[in-house]
Amino acid sequence: MNPIKISTAQFENRSGDKAYNLSVIDKLAAQAAAEGSQVITFHECSITGYTFARKLSKEELLAISERIPEGESVQELIAIAKKHNIVILAGLFEKDESDRIYKGYVCVNSEGLIAKYRKLHPFINPNILPGNAYCVFDLFGWKCGILICYDNNIIENVRATKLLGTDIIFMPHVTMCTPSTRPGAGFVDPKLWENRHQDPTSLRLEFDGMKGRDWLMKWLPARAYDNAIYAIFSNPIGMDDDQLKNGCSMIIDPFGDVLAECRSFEDSFVTATLYPQKLNDEGGSRYIKARRPELYKDIIGQSHQAEQKVAWLKS
């Protein structure tokens, strides 16, 4: 494999405004391509917006959902990729031929759809069904996977995706700055965002503390280190419906080190070059080879009833 240059972006999306969100994706993709990036990735539901979906009926969700790849938004994404000669990953609500709804995420290039993934652990709306498959695909000789937001909190998903051969896992999110049972969690006051130019310090303290980045850094680097993968994390900045999100889109290498991170309050991206040698030099690759699945395959594989509870989401 040759080195690969990847960008991860963050922007303030508008709920339900696909045309606007695609225009921002177009702008950032153009800038990344001009700087030599081969790939740019955007957050979960970056095309449609996300948090507002908790208020929608099934009929309203169907109205904003699209077929993949023939839907208008994915076709526009392909056109943007062709215009700028860059691979693009972005998310939206998907509906199939039977009007079943999923949380979709796609990877496209100038020739069309490369990969499609459905979130395994959706929760924002009860009408959204879980996906039932992992996703592995090739980009420039690198094996890549996708896990959306909550999927990454179930560590078995990351390990399974690694064991399917991935070197890079794209991890689109809409996360942080919501209440939880963990100490320090909670919403961030939108007034701080409105006043961000006059008082950036107060906002940055909230974004970087336990409501945001400090929590993220407890677990995200470990996913990369333990599984000897590059983790490409993307997350929105600014208001997503009535919730404020803190960005922190970043690229983490197999040593668990942050190679690049968005630190602006603006729509932006960062870029890093990924080197294949790190996949073998890092300790996680040795630990994977040392596994003894005969000890725990029956433990991990035993029957279990999945249960998801999200503290801030009112049923």
Side-chain angles (χ1 to χ4, degrees):
M1 296 185 296
N2 293 318
I4 183 173
K5 195 170 184 179
I6 293 180
S7 297
T8 183
Q10 62 185 39
F11 71 93
E12 186 176 25
N13 56 233
R14 294 181 183 174
S15 299
D17 192 341
K18 298 178 189 177
Y20 173 79
N21 296 332
L22 283 164
S23 74
V24 179
I25 289 171
D26 187 1
K27 177 186 70 175
L28 295 178
Q31 294 171 0
E35 295 180 12
S37 285
Q38 297 160 272
V39 182
I40 186 168
T41 182
F42 295 89
H43 60 268
E44 176 184 14
C45 285
S46 45
I47 294 172
T48 53
Y50 175 68
T51 304
F52 80 113
R54 75 189 190 277
K55 307 170 185 175
L56 302 183
S57 67
K58 183 174 183 180
E59 290 71 26
E60 290 169 326
L61 265 178
L62 283 170
I64 64 165
S65 301
E66 299 184 24
R67 297 285 300 277
I68 296 174
E70 59 266 41
E72 183 178 346
S73 294
V74 176
Q75 289 301 308
E76 175 63 19
L77 204 65
I78 292 168
I80 294 170
K82 184 174 184 178
K83 179 168 59 173
H84 304 304
N85 190 30
I86 190 169
V87 173
I88 302 175
L89 295 96
L92 70 164
F93 295 104
E94 177 195 3
K95 59 184 174 185
D96 69 7
E97 65 281 355
S98 299
D99 280 347
R100 291 179 293 244
I101 304 169
Y102 301 94
K103 184 74 66 59
Y105 197 78
V106 298
C107 176
V108 306
N109 65 7
S110 60
E111 298 179 358
L113 183 72
I114 296 174
K116 178 184 78 171
Y117 175 76
R118 291 169 172 170
K119 188 175 183 178
L120 305 176
H121 299 272
F123 61 83
I124 196 69
N125 187 297
N127 294 295
I128 300 172
L129 299 175
N132 288 302
Y134 296 113
C135 174
V136 179
F137 57 99
D138 182 88
L139 283 181
F140 305 103
W142 291 70
K143 291 295 182 185
C144 301
I146 299 167
L147 292 169
I148 299 175
C149 201
Y150 203 102
D151 297 346
N152 293 280
N153 297 123
I154 291 81
I155 59 175
E156 290 87 348
N157 290 329
V158 185
R159 176 51 58 90
T161 303
K162 169 62 181 182
L163 292 178
L164 288 170
T166 58
D167 312 303
I168 299 167
I169 300 181
F170 292 96
M171 300 178 174
H173 280 65
V174 177
T175 193
M176 298 183 278
C177 303
T178 52
S180 170
T181 53
R182 61 181 170 79
F187 291 121
V188 175
D189 189 343
K191 291 180 181 178
L192 291 175
W193 179 250
E194 296 169 8
N195 198 40
R196 64 190 181 278
H197 299 300
Q198 291 81 8
D199 180 15
T201 301
S202 295
L203 180 61
R204 181 55 66 193
L205 286 170
E206 287 281 82
F207 276 1
D208 284 357
M210 278 303 299
K211 292 180 179 180
R213 189 180 188 274
D214 279 356
W215 167 76
L216 186 71
M217 299 309 287
K218 286 178 176 289
W219 63 268
L220 183 60
R223 298 292 187 272
Y225 179 83
D226 289 343
N227 294 287
I229 53 103
Y230 283 92
I232 316 297
F233 172 83
S234 51
N235 193 51
I237 187 79
M239 298 304 299
D240 179 54
D241 191 42
D242 56 355
Q243 293 185 12
L244 181 54
K245 296 301 172 187
N246 66 322
C248 290
S249 292
M250 64 177 69
I251 298 172
I252 300 177
D253 74 6
F255 292 99
D257 293 331
V258 177
L259 300 180
E261 179 182 355
C262 292
R263 298 295 291 166
S264 169
F265 295 146
E266 308 301 322
D267 298 345
S268 62
F269 64 89
V270 290
T271 305
T273 300
L274 283 51
Y275 295 94
Q277 187 59 41
K278 284 189 178 183
L279 298 168
N280 299 316
D281 289 347
E282 189 271 324
S285 62
R286 298 192 299 275
Y287 308 147
I288 289 170
K289 292 176 183 177
R291 289 176 307 115
R292 294 184 59 193
E294 72 277 6
L295 294 176
Y296 37 79
K297 63 179 181 178
D298 293 334
I299 300 171
I300 294 174
Q302 65 184 302
S303 296
H304 169 71
Q305 182 62 47
E307 178 183 296
Q308 278 181 259
K309 291 184 178 179
V310 179
W312 63 266
L313 190 62
K314 305 300 181 183
S315 58

